[in-house]
Amino acid sequence: MKKATTLSKVLVIRRGSCPCPCSFNFSTLLSTGSPYSQSLCIASLQLCALNKNLQQGKKLHAHLLTTGLFTSSLSCTTSLINMYAKCHQISLALAVFNHCSHIHRNVFCYNAVISGLVSNGLVYDGVEIFRDMRVVGVYPDKFTFPCLIKGFCKVMEVKKIHGLVFKLGLELDLYVGSALIASYLKFELINEANEVFDDMPVRDVGLWNAMVNGYALAGRLNEAMEVVRRMSKEGVLMSRYTVTGVLSVFADIRDFDNGTSVHSFVMKMGFASSAAVCNALIDMYGKCNSNDKALQIFEKMDEKDILSWNSIMRANEQSGDHKATLRLYRRMIGHGFQPDLVTIRIVLSSCAQLSSLTQGRKVHACFIVNGFWKDIDTVLMGNALLHMYAKCGSMRDARVVFDIMSITDVASWNIMIMGYGMHGYGVEALDMFSCMCKWKVRPNEVTFLAILSACSHAGFVNQGSELLEQMEFNYGITPTIKHYACVVDMLGRAGQLEEAYKLALSMPIKTNSIVWRSVLAACRLHENAQLLRVAADHVLGLEPQLGHSGNNVLMSNVFVASGDYEKVSSIRDTTTKQQLNVNKIPGCSWIELLDGTHSSVAGSCTYPKT
């Protein structure tokens, strides 16, 4: 009784009075007698693992070494391995594991290191530890296999483990069965997953959840909902984990009505206090373009985690409210949360859309300070940084990031080429394309769209025309209407109106109004009245109803310039009858000051800082 009371006091101090969610009263731990230190250390290590508090975990490790508990207790060893693994210090976890001799290692010790390796992406190292475990005669249990199964990326590996599970008589264990079902559905092996599910003599809600979430993650949304209906028929009540799976389905199909119904069920069942359920609701409402609802749920959450912040920021970023995304990011930092890689990607995207270079550089600095600089090796993170710097016009910074990326893909090269072309660096764009081909990175349709656009803006007509010819013959890529439109625009900008007109007529694929609007704009720019009327007739022929407000404005201006007021009147009458909104979207300028990015609309003096 006394032992339990002492442990309770330390946990109360940790959970209640301390303002930091991942600290505890270390002096209280040391002041307890030796009979209590082991239990208290194990409990505290578990809390450090839960909160990823590496600093306090290392202090406990030092305490275990000085008191001799480290060598006398396998439970402490297991807790240390688990703590270091959860804090992503896998080398330290392995050092603790290797310090124990084979004789003293038990199944819990092996499970901790296997789980740590797999969760940190070192699946095959985990398999080697598993083999070592079998060699020394330590039998795996029902907790050994699920972590191994989840990490496998090949079907045959899962099937081999399934065979071993059967051999050891663990095939009917619910925990193992759930892991097998999830892995089979990941590889879309529907029959195998159903066989495992049907062979289970007892099916708890966890097993049903594995089916629902497995189908949802595999994108088989109809099958996921069919499992939910089967659950209802068999009288199995949904748990909060079932709810998250169902909500992910409705989020993917943008089903607002059914998502709202699940929200009502969540409130009725008392799941609203679950962070995982609230995060799923935020994601669902965000994807259904109901940011107000998402924000209401977020603000009502008692305990927010990093996923909560990421979900609400993603909702705003997807809806185009990039300023709100950055405001939420600053709030998150102010509340003491450390961003993860998902946060960084979301915020970088918003910085790119706002051309907020200063904020983008701050995020990049946070990326480095938090030790994420190693993740520059991942193409996804590197490309996110490239895109931000390219959109913000800082091609020098983009080039620095590109040069230090150890792995690049075709998207990395495309971003650089597009960035150079967008900001008028035509020579650099062509050089980048040449280097891409030299390094045997195969260009795709987007690459040619980027390089043709660069040639158009830089006036490199000959190079652009040659690239269009080389696309199919040298690279096996058939030009699309977008590529032809880009070259037509390039010729028109350069004043080669006849060539632009001929290409628009002779292209081997069906033309569209975008191509002829490019010819039309070029004719107006270079004041070629005769060709202007021909191009206008083509636009009217392709879009006789002029159901596009941009077309109406452009065509009206064209005929005003040519003096054909009869057609101007006709277009305006059509606009009035169709009740089209032809208000031209005004130009908007952004300026970055110390207090953030500000925008002002052309011709408006209402903005307080104009």
Side-chain angles (χ1 to χ4, degrees):
M1 181 65 72
K2 183 180 178 183
K3 182 176 181 179
T5 304
T6 308
L7 177 59
S8 300
K9 286 181 180 178
V10 175
L11 295 181
V12 167
I13 290 170
R14 182 260 167 206
R15 289 175 180 156
S17 61
C18 181
C20 178
C22 52
S23 64
F24 53 86
N25 195 321
F26 196 67
S27 60
T28 301
L29 173 66
L30 296 179
S31 66
T32 59
S34 58
Y36 313 108
S37 296
Q38 179 178 325
S39 299
L40 290 169
C41 282
I42 291 170
S44 300
L45 281 169
Q46 290 170 348
L47 292 172
C48 290
L50 179 66
N51 294 296
K52 296 181 174 55
N53 190 337
L54 180 62
Q55 183 181 3
Q56 290 287 12
K58 285 183 174 180
K59 287 181 180 179
L60 278 165
H61 190 177
H63 173 66
L64 292 172
L65 288 169
T66 55
T67 58
L69 288 171
F70 177 72
T71 55
S72 63
S73 172
L74 263 179
S75 297
C76 288
T77 301
T78 302
S79 298
L80 272 172
I81 293 170
N82 181 57
M83 183 274 296
Y84 281 128
K86 291 288 175 60
C87 293
H88 306 297
Q89 300 293 319
I90 198 64
S91 59
L92 294 177
L94 285 170
V96 173
F97 176 77
N98 291 328
H99 189 270
C100 297
S101 65
H102 288 289
I103 301 171
H104 294 105
R105 294 173 189 163
N106 60 14
V107 65
F108 305 110
C109 191
Y110 274 102
N111 286 350
V113 75
I114 291 170
S115 176
L117 286 164
V118 172
S119 62
N120 282 276
L122 303 171
V123 179
Y124 291 104
D125 294 295
V127 173
E128 288 301 316
I129 296 291
F130 175 72
R131 288 173 179 160
D132 177 63
M133 175 184 181
R134 300 292 311 284
V135 169
V136 299
V138 178
Y139 277 87
D141 63 8
K142 62 181 181 181
F143 300 108
T144 311
F145 293 107
C147 56
L148 272 177
I149 293 168
K150 289 174 186 175
F152 283 138
C153 56
K154 294 181 181 178
V155 176
M156 290 307 299
E157 294 166 339
V158 179
K159 290 188 173 182
K160 285 179 181 178
I161 290 292
H162 192 177
L164 182 58
V165 164
F166 191 84
K167 182 179 178 181
L168 295 173
L170 296 171
E171 74 278 5
L172 301 182
D173 180 80
L174 291 170
Y175 193 49
V176 175
S178 297
L180 284 169
I181 287 170
S183 291
Y184 279 134
L185 288 175
K186 181 173 74 173
F187 297 114
E188 297 192 26
L189 298 174
I190 309 303
N191 293 333
E192 286 82 351
N194 284 325
E195 283 178 14
V196 174
F197 182 78
D198 293 336
D199 287 343
M200 289 291 174
V202 178
R203 299 172 194 149
D204 67 351
V205 69
L207 202 68
W208 287 94
N209 290 345
M211 292 289 284
V212 174
N213 289 292
Y215 276 125
L217 290 172
R220 304 178 74 94
L221 308 182
N222 292 331
E223 288 92 334
M225 295 311 301
E226 182 58 35
V227 174
V228 173
R229 285 188 281 271
R230 282 180 62 189
M231 280 183 72
S232 178
K233 287 180 182 179
E234 296 192 19
V236 181
L237 193 63
M238 287 197 295
S239 71
R240 63 191 63 190
Y241 299 107
T242 324
V243 168
T244 57
V246 173
L247 283 171
S248 70
V249 173
F250 292 142
D252 288 340
I253 63 177
R254 309 310 195 253
D255 191 337
F256 177 82
D257 294 334
N258 280 319
T260 306
S261 299
V262 175
H263 189 182
S264 301
F265 173 80
V266 165
M267 301 299 293
K268 181 180 178 181
M269 297 301 297
F271 294 156
S273 60
S274 168
V277 173
C278 289
N279 294 343
L281 282 168
I282 292 169
D283 181 58
M284 184 274 295
Y285 280 124
K287 288 181 178 176
C288 293
N289 297 318
S290 183
N291 282 5
D292 291 341
K293 289 269 190 183
L295 190 59
Q296 286 175 16
I297 295 167
F298 176 79
E299 297 295 358
K300 288 179 181 178
M301 290 179 69
D302 294 326
E303 293 187 12
K304 301 176 179 69
D305 58 16
I306 188 64
L307 294 176
S308 312
W309 290 97
N310 287 346
S311 297
I312 191 65
M313 282 191 285
R314 186 187 289 110
N316 283 280
E317 191 263 335
Q318 288 173 342
S319 67
D321 194 351
H322 303 294
K323 287 186 177 180
T325 303
L326 296 185
R327 283 196 300 270
L328 284 163
Y329 174 70
R330 287 190 285 269
R331 268 183 67 190
M332 187 192 85
I333 299 298
H335 281 77
F337 284 87
Q338 291 298 322
D340 62 7
L341 292 175
V342 176
T343 316
I344 298 294
R345 286 199 296 270
I346 294 169
V347 178
L348 282 175
S349 176
S350 288
C351 291
Q353 295 302 321
L354 291 173
S355 297
S356 182
L357 180 59
T358 301
Q359 184 64 52
R361 281 177 171 156
K362 288 179 181 178
V363 176
H364 190 180
C366 178
F367 177 87
I368 296 168
V369 168
N370 284 283
F372 296 147
W373 62 271
K374 295 178 182 177
D375 291 282
I376 198 71
D377 291 341
T378 63
V379 177
L380 195 62
M381 282 308 304
N383 289 351
L385 283 167
L386 287 180
H387 180 250
M388 183 275 294
Y389 281 124
K391 287 282 284 186
C392 292
S394 183
M395 291 308 298
R396 181 180 296 177
D397 288 326
R399 186 57 188 260
V400 169
V401 173
F402 181 83
D403 288 340
I404 65 173
M405 287 174 66
S406 59
I407 304 173
T408 56
D409 62 359
V410 65
S412 313
W413 291 89
N414 290 348
I415 292 168
M416 291 299 295
I417 294 170
M418 198 168 292
Y420 278 129
M422 186 190 309
H423 300 292
Y425 300 109
V427 174
E428 289 82 355
L430 286 169
D431 287 343
M432 185 64 67
F433 179 76
S434 298
C435 289
M436 180 182 185
C437 297
K438 179 182 176 181
W439 287 100
K440 298 182 180 179
V441 180
R442 188 171 182 80
N444 57 18
E445 290 183 4
V446 178
T447 313
F448 279 99
L449 200 60
I451 192 63
L452 288 172
S453 177
C455 290
S456 175
H457 285 86
F460 296 156
V461 178
N462 293 335
Q463 293 93 324
S465 301
E466 289 175 7
L467 285 167
L468 182 67
E469 293 177 3
Q470 292 173 5
M471 275 184 68
E472 190 159 12
F473 295 108
N474 293 2
Y475 300 97
I477 300 171
T478 303
T480 66
I481 191 68
K482 290 182 179 180
H483 297 100
Y484 282 109
C486 203
V487 175
V488 168
D489 180 66
M490 175 186 69
L491 293 168
R493 284 171 182 267
Q496 299 184 19
L497 302 182
E498 290 293 336
E499 289 78 359
Y501 174 70
K502 289 177 182 177
L503 180 60
L505 284 176
S506 63
M507 64 177 64
I509 55 179
K510 186 178 179 181
T511 189
N512 63 13
S513 60
I514 297 174
V515 173
W516 286 105
R517 281 205 296 269
S518 296
V519 177
L520 192 64
C523 292
R524 187 183 172 203
L525 175 68
H526 295 286
E527 299 180 349
N528 188 324
Q530 182 179 358
L531 197 54
L532 183 146
R533 296 184 65 84
V534 175
D537 289 339
H538 277 285
V539 174
L540 287 171
L542 290 165
E543 294 181 349
Q545 298 302 317
L546 286 175
H548 185 278
S549 60
N551 283 347
N552 292 48
V553 174
L554 176 64
M555 295 300 295
S556 178
N557 291 339
V558 163
F559 289 123
V560 166
S562 65
D564 194 340
Y565 295 104
E566 184 178 342
K567 286 196 175 182
V568 172
S569 177
S570 174
I571 289 172
R572 291 180 178 175
D573 288 342
T574 302
T575 303
T576 304
K577 289 177 183 178
Q578 294 178 351
Q579 296 181 339
L580 294 175
N581 178 18
V582 295
N583 293 326
K584 185 179 178 183
I585 299 173
C588 185
S589 298
W590 286 268
I591 184 168
E592 199 169 20
L593 305 175
L594 292 175
D595 60 343
T597 303
H598 301 269
S599 60
S600 58
V601 176
S604 173
C605 297
T606 57
Y607 188 69
K609 296 188 178 182
T610 300

